[in-house]
Amino acid sequence: MKIFVKKWSQLFSDSYRELRQVKTIAAMGMFGAISVVLGSLTIVIGDYIKIGFSSVAQQFVYYLFGPVAGGFFAGAMDILKYFIKPTGAFFPGWTISAMTAGVLYGCFFYKKPLSIPRVLIAEFTVSVVCNMLLGTLWLTIMYEKAFMALLPVRVIKNLVMWPVNSMLFYTLTWTMEHSGVFRVIRRAKA
């Protein structure tokens, strides 16, 4: 148990140190800009379903800089994207979900080997916790709809997108690792 706690505290303190570097902030800004552009391509299906791929650029931040940097970055991006392209009223629950996803992805990916099982488990965990449970709760609060009435549609959407998002992230991350892009970013901040 002691070793487990030590590993987790080390993971979070390393990520915090990453967040304090100017070059990390610059790289986060670059990925944030890519995320904003990809966010403009989001498909909105009614009030309850959105399909977009801007999170892939954000996942690179979680992968490279960890849970602390990822949580702050995700929260900042959620607020920034709302101001750039508002869709409905601002609700802080979505920012909480985004930050939770950033922390979870950072815990799964930061300083860990990239593998398909790890990506699948991370995507599934974030889908269940942030999208299915928290997201449905926020919609229930915002639209005063029954939680159980909204949940089935959101579960289906997330189960369909789970392998798509997983393979997209794995393929792009593997490609960027093996082409040297991430190596350049890591070296730049060293």
Side-chain angles (χ1 to χ4, degrees):
M1 182 65 173
K2 205 175 198 180
I3 294 171
F4 178 76
V5 171
K6 187 174 180 177
K7 282 185 179 182
W8 278 95
S9 65
Q10 185 67 45
L11 180 79
F12 279 81
S13 63
D14 288 351
S15 180
Y16 175 72
R17 278 193 289 284
E18 297 268 12
L19 183 62
R20 296 183 62 200
Q21 296 181 16
V22 173
K23 292 178 182 181
T24 297
I25 302 298
M28 289 166 66
M30 176 189 68
F31 286 119
I34 293 168
S35 178
V36 168
V37 170
L38 289 174
S40 67
L41 306 174
T42 298
I43 301 165
V44 178
I45 305 168
D47 289 333
Y48 312 119
I49 303 288
K50 292 180 186 176
I51 298 174
F53 299 101
S54 66
S55 63
V56 174
Q58 290 179 220
Q59 286 175 317
F60 294 148
V61 171
Y62 316 144
Y63 176 78
L64 290 169
F65 308 121
V68 175
F72 280 109
F73 176 75
M77 286 305 300
D78 183 72
I79 293 167
L80 178 67
K81 285 181 185 179
Y82 176 78
F83 284 117
I84 291 173
K85 185 181 176 189
T87 54
F90 179 78
F91 184 73
W94 297 114
T95 305
I96 292 168
S97 289
M99 293 176 77
T100 303
V103 170
L104 287 172
Y105 280 127
C107 289
F108 274 101
F109 297 143
Y110 184 55
K111 294 187 174 184
K112 300 208 171 67
L114 181 68
S115 68
I116 291 175
R118 180 181 306 282
V119 172
L120 285 168
I121 292 168
E123 280 291 338
F124 186 75
T125 302
V126 170
S127 289
V128 169
V129 172
C130 299
N131 301 344
M132 293 181 206
L133 297 177
L134 288 177
T136 306
L137 176 63
W138 308 143
L139 289 171
T140 299
I141 293 169
M142 290 174 66
Y143 295 108
E144 298 179 355
K145 301 281 185 190
F147 185 90
M148 293 309 292
L150 296 173
L151 187 61
V153 173
R154 296 186 54 77
V155 167
I156 291 168
K157 179 252 180 182
N158 279 280
L159 287 177
V160 168
M161 293 304 294
W162 170 44
V164 173
N165 290 337
S166 297
M167 289 301 102
L168 184 65
F169 174 73
Y170 177 81
T171 304
L172 290 174
T173 304
W174 187 91
T175 302
M176 291 180 77
E177 273 291 358
H178 286 80
S179 67
V181 172
F182 287 156
R183 194 169 33 255
V184 170
I185 292 170
R186 285 185 185 109
R187 192 177 313 129
K189 58 184 203 56

